[in-house]
């Protein structure tokens, strides 16, 4: 009986085990790639099998996540048709 319990526990461990992944999201480096500056709600990236979704909000409600060249990840209230922050100091 003890052997059966060991087999069941071992099989359960295999069934319920999860694979963990780690990834580094360097928003400053990502923002400095040509054409990478943009906003959206949400913005989504996948690196090494890990997906990260960024959304924006402030005290007045929903705003946009914004990948700002030279600054990294932030927020922007108003995006133009090209997904650029308008005004740029928003």
């Amino acid at each position: 009986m003890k052997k059966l319990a060991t087999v069941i526990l071992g099989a359960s461990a295999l069934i319920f085990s999860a694979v963990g992944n780690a990834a580094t999201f360097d928003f400053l480096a990502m923002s400095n790639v040509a054409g990478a500056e943009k906003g959206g709600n949400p913005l989504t990236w996948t690196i090494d099998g890990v997906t990260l979704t960024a959304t924006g909000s402030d005290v007045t409600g929903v705003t946009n996540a914004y990948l700002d060249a030279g600054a990294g990840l932030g927020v922007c209230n108003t995006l133009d048709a090209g997904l650029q922050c308008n005004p740029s100091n928003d």
Side-chain angles (χ1 to χ4, degrees):
M1 187 67 172
K2 193 173 188 180
K3 213 177 228 187
L4 179 59
T6 302
V7 170
I8 291 172
L9 287 174
S12 297
L14 289 174
I15 291 170
F16 294 108
S17 65
V19 176
N21 290 330
T24 300
F25 292 84
D26 183 344
F27 295 112
L28 182 56
M30 291 164 63
S31 73
N32 289 324
V33 174
E37 182 171 355
K38 67 178 179 180
N41 202 15
L43 289 178
T44 303
W45 300 272
T46 300
I47 297 175
D48 296 333
V50 176
T51 300
L52 181 136
T53 300
T55 59
S57 66
D58 63 13
V59 295
T60 62
V62 175
T63 186
N64 300 287
Y66 195 76
L67 191 61
D68 195 357
L73 187 61
V75 295
C76 176
N77 286 321
T78 306
L79 298 175
D80 65 17
L83 302 179
Q84 300 299 299
C85 198
N86 185 13
S88 62
N89 66 346
D90 181 8

